[in-house]
Amino acid sequence: MGEALKLPIIDLSSPDRFSTADSIRQACIDYGFFYLVNHGVEEEILGRIFDESRKFFSLPLEHKMSLVRKEHRGYTPLYAENLDPSSPSKGDSKESFYIGPLEGTHSNLNQWPSDGIFILCEIPEVLPSWRSTMDLFYKKVLRQLKNALILVGNQPTVTPLGQRNSGWSAKYWWIICCIRYAGSRLIRLLALALKLDEDFFEKVGASDIPTAFLRLIHYPGELDSSGEEIYGASAHSDYGMITLLATDGVPGLQAWSAGRNSKNQGYGRTCQVSRVIQAFIVNIGDMMERWTNCLFRSTLHRVMPTGQERYSAAFFLDPNNSCVVECLESCCSESCPPRFPPIRSGDYLKERFRLTYGS
Ligand SMILES: O=C(O)CCC(=O)C(=O)O
Ligand SMILES: [Fe+2]
């Protein structure tokens, strides 16, 4: 599977923000990837997310298809997505479930098993401890949520959890808050890393109501590939600002270690990105690369099938749809003019989704 990338480890709890920001800057310049530790999302919570994910993906296909992706939320079956639109492959060998923002006006676009699958099957048989776990978790969420939002320091329109009766959504809502909290702190450090005011990305509207998507992914172990070259996730760079990724530890993720700014697969070599326990794998997305005029790398990566089943959860922190992403003054000069024109984040994302899904 190739040599392992020795990525820097960033400690989000370090009191020395400036030295942390410097380490982030170097990691984003050198790799576009780093590990994030002490992020405040307990291993146990992530374990539960993977448990729920396993249960969900093991449901019969027709049940999962009752929640098929609409408005980029819900279930995407095997081979429905091709992250490398230039590849002739029949699609990526993974299935996934997207959860969109749970706050703001579009939160009602989300799909939940309680809306679809509950109607189709006897859920107590499929998920026996569902209700009791949800009940317990739900109460914890309500308590912790308040703290998390106060800590994040902004006041989004919170979807009234009291009106939700699905523990599944509450569970994901909680992890989204935790990760969002880690993400918000990280975005402030990224601003410092770029020698900007700490609240720069908030001021330009990037993180008002970020277009944050949580994506649960399942890579099946056995594939019927009939000799075809099949990827778990074909070579791609992420679209947004940053991605926080948790995996179950099964290998497969590879990133290109290449000369600067290379998005060419034939250039450089692929290295393994291993899991570090209790760390998120963080990577820079294309819009951050545009902001920084390629100073920060949005590195190509992919997931190779290993014959082993694999689960991951990727949290994509993208700028608000109306945020205009344009080259930072500090990242261009007469001799190094902006490489990309300004673009509205929403337009950029729409185009990337169109190329990936054909819709
Ligand atoms: O599953 C993984 O390890 C990576 C997934 C990924 O790169 C993506 O969904 O953008
Ligand atoms: Fe990715």
Side-chain angles (χ1 to χ4, degrees):
M1 294 278 310
E3 76 185 87
L5 263 187
K6 281 213 173 325
L7 295 172
I9 297 182
I10 306 293
D11 181 350
L12 196 59
S13 70
S14 160
D16 187 347
R17 288 177 308 142
F18 291 97
S19 116
T20 309
D22 280 345
S23 310
I24 291 178
R25 181 183 174 90
Q26 208 49 52
C28 296
I29 292 173
D30 293 343
Y31 302 99
F33 266 86
F34 55 87
Y35 294 112
L36 188 73
V37 295
N38 294 324
H39 43 62
V41 183
E42 295 119 352
E43 197 63 12
E44 193 246 335
I45 293 182
L46 286 168
R48 290 204 206 181
I49 290 295
F50 285 128
D51 286 348
E52 292 303 318
S53 209
R54 271 182 211 106
K55 287 179 197 162
F56 176 78
F57 287 117
S58 63
L59 289 169
L61 182 63
E62 78 250 41
H63 295 165
K64 293 183 280 190
M65 287 303 280
S66 71
L67 297 168
V68 77
R69 191 176 62 92
K70 291 187 202 93
E71 307 274 356
H72 304 299
R73 286 133 174 107
Y75 175 68
T76 311
L78 276 177
Y79 307 116
E81 180 180 286
N82 190 353
L83 281 173
D84 178 3
S86 69
S87 124
S89 126
K90 65 175 173 178
D92 294 342
S93 64
K94 63 165 186 292
E95 49 181 348
S96 57
F97 194 94
Y98 265 117
I99 298 168
L102 293 176
E103 57 198 37
T105 44
H106 297 302
S107 56
N108 60 350
L109 294 177
N110 273 307
Q111 303 196 64
W112 302 108
S114 48
D115 306 337
I117 295 172
F118 278 20
I119 298 164
L120 291 167
C121 63
E122 287 293 314
I123 220 65
E125 276 173 30
V126 182
L127 305 168
S129 50
W130 184 265
R131 285 199 176 194
S132 54
T133 316
M134 300 312 162
D135 190 60
L136 189 78
F137 200 77
Y138 192 89
K139 287 174 186 143
K140 187 171 174 188
V141 171
L142 282 177
R143 202 171 57 239
Q144 302 287 8
L145 176 67
K146 233 178 169 177
N147 301 341
L149 288 179
I150 290 165
L151 286 168
V152 169
N154 57 14
Q155 304 293 323
T157 321
V158 178
T159 308
L161 279 176
Q163 287 172 18
R164 290 175 179 272
N165 55 14
S166 153
W168 213 77
S169 58
K171 186 171 270 196
Y172 284 104
W173 170 241
W174 165 232
I175 194 161
I176 280 172
C177 279
C178 286
I179 303 177
R180 207 195 132 177
Y181 172 48
S184 302
R185 282 196 287 167
L186 189 56
I187 284 170
R188 289 187 145 233
L189 285 166
L190 277 167
L192 284 183
L194 288 161
K195 319 283 181 218
L196 300 164
D197 290 342
E198 206 171 351
D199 58 355
F200 172 83
F201 290 111
E202 284 142 52
K203 278 203 242 137
V204 296
S207 50
D208 287 352
I209 305 173
T211 317
F213 278 81
L214 174 61
R215 181 198 224 181
L216 306 155
I217 312 172
H218 172 225
Y219 302 89
E222 311 244 312
L223 292 175
D224 171 24
S225 67
S226 44
E228 246 186 288
E229 182 141 87
I230 299 278
Y231 298 99
S234 46
H236 67 283
S237 51
D238 292 350
Y239 312 157
M241 261 198 290
I242 45 170
T243 307
L244 284 78
L245 177 79
T247 80
D248 63 357
V250 173
L253 179 62
Q254 298 183 334
W256 262 258
S257 158
R260 308 260 315 113
N261 308 331
S262 171
K263 284 263 180 7
N264 183 341
Q265 290 178 52
Y267 189 67
R269 61 188 199 286
T270 48
C271 296
Q272 267 193 75
V273 182
S274 318
R275 176 188 187 224
V276 164
I277 292 188
Q278 299 196 344
F280 278 122
I281 297 165
V282 178
N283 64 288
I284 292 295
D286 292 338
M287 279 194 267
M288 184 57 81
E289 188 176 72
R290 291 175 81 104
W291 253 313
T292 63
N293 215 15
C294 299
L295 176 71
F296 286 6
R297 293 175 57 179
S298 170
T299 304
L300 268 185
H301 53 284
R302 68 182 179 192
V303 177
M304 295 300 283
T306 59
Q308 259 180 292
E309 200 175 21
R310 181 174 187 271
Y311 290 87
S312 67
F315 194 85
F316 302 99
L317 273 173
D318 300 340
N320 183 299
N321 274 343
S322 58
C323 173
V324 175
V325 177
E326 62 184 317
C327 180
L328 298 167
E329 266 176 40
S330 59
C331 296
C332 58
S333 63
E334 227 167 89
S335 58
C336 177
R339 297 175 193 220
F340 312 99
I343 192 156
R344 255 186 83 249
S345 166
D347 295 339
Y348 183 78
L349 287 172
K350 207 166 149 194
E351 178 58 10
R352 293 296 298 269
F353 276 125
R354 191 187 65 77
L355 291 171
T356 303
Y357 295 102
S359 66

